[in-house]
């Protein structure tokens, strides 16, 4: 009996420590585990993979970046709780703007893929698999498609949030114009460190960006690297941290800075030369001054970050480290146990109350 009491006491102490460490969005998901749905919905991971692979096969150049970005934007606001999927609502004489309608999320995509996966899962295992886990799995499966193997394992057991606010997305998401100080502070607030910042920035190795998101760099009015020792603009008007030939290419695509600032139609690759391959080429470009955003160039302004970039130009090292960093990000602010809910429709909270 005494041994049983000691075991119970140890359990209470450990549980108290876990709860104490989860006061906010930096809780790192101790309850998550691999193959969480092994018994409750054995087909869950296969359903996600089959649908995502089929959709990516039809759109291999764009969809992996969209689904990876959706996961990132979800985790950086309220944690990885699928709050980014919730549609805005109206009623009571006003409207409630959700995260997806915040300006930083205006170009997000892949929602229809998540909807399709969730509909099939609800038919197979009603009320069992969370939208948050679907987003995490879809990001992994989409990026892994070109390799024919999983690049990282996904721990599961997240539950879905019931709150989504556009204002929180505007405040919580990193900006492409952020300097290193702002980036580091933002990541730190999520329990992520400088290494995570540098590695997760490597997601810019796939996907595109619209001209208005980097137009300030073409005129030299962006926040640049944050360095006080260099002028941020050259005689031609562009940010000094931007390769001159690359700046000319961007102007040719987007138009002069005055027009580029309002050009949200034209899109350019974030990793010129290797836009559709998930590889280490982003870091090669970064060292050449061909990082598209001010937030990319900002990584070179910090001694710790710059030291990591050279090692990350090695493809194998980058892929391994990216898997580690994205797993860590996937545990930020998760809801588990009795927290949140399992949404039946990823676009709306359940109306059971």
């Amino acid at each position: 009996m005494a041994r049983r009491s000691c075991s119970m006491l140890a359990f209470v102490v450990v549980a108290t420590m876990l709860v104490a460490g989860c006061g906010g969005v930096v809780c790192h998901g101790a309850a998550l585990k691999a193959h969480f749905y092994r018994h409750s919905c054995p087909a869950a991971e296969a359903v996600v993979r089959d649908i995502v692979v089929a959709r990516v096969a039809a759109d291999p150049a764009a969809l992996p970046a969209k689904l990876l970005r959706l996961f990132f934007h979800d985790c950086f606001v309220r944690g990885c709780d699928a709050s980014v999927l919730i549609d805005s609502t109206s009623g009571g004489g006003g409207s409630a703007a959700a995260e997806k309608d915040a300006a930083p999320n205006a170009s997000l995509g892949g929602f229809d893929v998540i909807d399709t996966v969730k509909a099939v899962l609800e038919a197979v295992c009603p009320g069992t698999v969370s939208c948050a886990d679907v987003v995490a799995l879809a990001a992994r499966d989409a990026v892994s498609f070109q390799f024919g193997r999983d690049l990282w394992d996904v721990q599961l057991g997240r539950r879905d949030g019931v709150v989504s606010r556009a204002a929180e997305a505007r405040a919580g998401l990193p900006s492409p114009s952020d300097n290193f100080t702002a980036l580091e502070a933002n990541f730190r607030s999520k329990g992520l460190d400088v290494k995570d910042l540098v590695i997760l920035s490597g997601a810019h190795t796939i996907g595109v960006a619209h001209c208005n998101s980097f137009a300030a760099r073409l005129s030299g009015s962006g926040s640049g690297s944050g360095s006080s020792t260099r002028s941020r603009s050259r005689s031609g008007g562009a940010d000094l941290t931007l390769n001159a030939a690359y700046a000319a290419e961007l102007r040719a695509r987007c138009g002069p800075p005055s027009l580029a600032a309002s050009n949200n139609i034209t899109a350019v690759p974030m990793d010129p030369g290797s836009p559709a391959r998930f590889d280490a080429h982003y870091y090669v470009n970064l060292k050449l001054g061909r990082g598209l955003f001010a937030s990319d160039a900002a990584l070179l302004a910090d001694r710790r970050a710059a030291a990591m970039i050279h090692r990350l130009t090695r493809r194998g090292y980058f892929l391994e480290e990216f898997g580690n960093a994205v797993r860590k990000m996937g545990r930020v602010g998760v809801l588990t146990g009795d927290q949140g809910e399992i949404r039946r429709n990823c676009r709306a909270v359940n109306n059971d109350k």
Side-chain angles (χ1 to χ4, degrees), residues 303-319:
R303 175 181 50 80
R304 298 161 298 169
M308 297 174 195
I309 288 170
H310 178 70
R311 295 194 298 274
L312 286 164
T313 58
R314 302 197 301 269
R315 176 178 176 270
Y317 181 73
F318 165 63
L319 294 180

Side-chain angles (χ1 to χ4, degrees), residues 197-348:
L197 163 60
V198 176
I199 293 167
L200 291 172
S201 294
H204 289 174
T205 190
I206 53 174
V208 299
H210 294 99
C211 296
N212 61 325
S213 64
F214 56 84
R217 297 198 76 199
L218 303 181
S219 65
S221 60
S223 58
S225 67
S227 171
S228 59
T229 60
R230 299 178 65 190
S231 168
R232 290 204 300 264
S233 62
R234 62 180 80 249
S235 59
D239 188 327
L240 253 182
T241 61
L242 191 63
N243 177 282
Y246 184 42
E249 292 174 22
L250 294 174
R251 283 201 191 92
R253 294 284 299 274
C254 297
S258 58
L259 295 180
S262 59
N263 184 347
N264 62 355
I265 303 298
T266 304
V268 301
M270 290 191 288
D271 183 11
S274 181
R277 293 288 302 175
F278 195 81
D279 56 23
H281 193 255
Y282 163 81
Y283 297 102
V284 175
N285 271 331
L286 204 56
K287 292 175 68 176
L288 297 174
R290 293 170 66 88
L292 185 60
F293 300 126
S295 59
D296 293 321
L299 301 181
L300 294 169
D302 180 81
R303 175 181 50 80
R304 298 161 298 169
M308 297 174 195
I309 288 170
H310 178 70
R311 295 194 298 274
L312 286 164
T313 58
R314 302 197 301 269
R315 176 178 176 270
Y317 181 73
F318 165 63
L319 294 180
E320 179 182 355
E321 290 297 333
F322 189 85
N324 294 334
V326 79
R327 276 195 299 268
K328 184 176 176 181
M329 183 190 76
R331 297 193 296 268
V332 171
V334 295
L335 304 175
T336 58
D338 294 328
Q339 299 172 309
E341 64 182 15
I342 303 297
R343 276 185 239 138
R344 292 185 290 270
N345 175 356
C346 292
R347 293 176 177 265

Side-chain angles (χ1 to χ4, degrees), residues 36-60:
F36 179 85
Y37 299 104
R38 186 192 306 273
H39 302 296
S40 61
C41 188
E45 294 184 49
V47 167
V48 179
R49 178 177 285 106
D50 289 349
I51 294 172
V52 170
V53 164
R55 294 292 295 271
V56 171
D59 187 12

Side-chain angles (χ1 to χ4, degrees), residues 31-285:
L32 300 184
K33 61 182 181 180
H35 310 299
F36 179 85
Y37 299 104
R38 186 192 306 273
H39 302 296
S40 61
C41 188
E45 294 184 49
V47 167
V48 179
R49 178 177 285 106
D50 289 349
I51 294 172
V52 170
V53 164
R55 294 292 295 271
V56 171
D59 187 12
L63 192 54
K66 290 179 180 179
L67 290 172
L68 182 58
R69 187 166 178 246
L70 192 63
F71 186 34
F72 183 98
H73 280 230
D74 181 38
C75 292
F76 263 65
V77 183
R78 292 191 161 264
C80 311
D81 68 345
S83 54
V84 74
L85 305 179
I86 297 175
D87 286 339
S88 296
T89 59
S90 60
S95 62
E99 290 175 30
K100 64 168 56 172
D101 287 331
N105 287 332
S107 59
L108 286 181
F111 295 105
D112 57 322
V113 179
I114 305 301
D115 290 339
T116 299
V117 171
K118 181 60 174 175
V120 173
L121 288 172
E122 283 299 301
V124 175
C125 310
T128 303
V129 183
S130 70
C131 300
D133 277 345
V134 171
V135 172
L137 286 167
R140 188 273 309 276
D141 293 343
V143 173
S144 299
F145 171 76
Q146 66 183 258
F147 298 91
R149 62 178 177 85
D150 291 345
L151 287 185
W152 64 88
D153 61 285
V154 179
Q155 293 182 313
L156 302 168
R158 299 167 188 79
R159 287 171 65 85
D160 299 323
V162 297
V163 175
S164 182
R165 300 188 179 111
E168 292 181 352
R170 289 192 293 269
L173 288 168
S175 166
S177 63
D178 279 348
N179 61 25
F180 189 85
T181 300
L183 291 169
E184 183 180 13
N186 192 316
F187 274 65
R188 188 190 306 117
S189 73
K190 276 75 177 179
L192 302 172
D193 58 25
V194 170
K195 184 177 181 180
D196 301 316
L197 163 60
V198 176
I199 293 167
L200 291 172
S201 294
H204 289 174
T205 190
I206 53 174
V208 299
H210 294 99
C211 296
N212 61 325
S213 64
F214 56 84
R217 297 198 76 199
L218 303 181
S219 65
S221 60
S223 58
S225 67
S227 171
S228 59
T229 60
R230 299 178 65 190
S231 168
R232 290 204 300 264
S233 62
R234 62 180 80 249
S235 59
D239 188 327
L240 253 182
T241 61
L242 191 63
N243 177 282
Y246 184 42
E249 292 174 22
L250 294 174
R251 283 201 191 92
R253 294 284 299 274
C254 297
S258 58
L259 295 180
S262 59
N263 184 347
N264 62 355
I265 303 298
T266 304
V268 301
M270 290 191 288
D271 183 11
S274 181
R277 293 288 302 175
F278 195 81
D279 56 23
H281 193 255
Y282 163 81
Y283 297 102
V284 175
N285 271 331

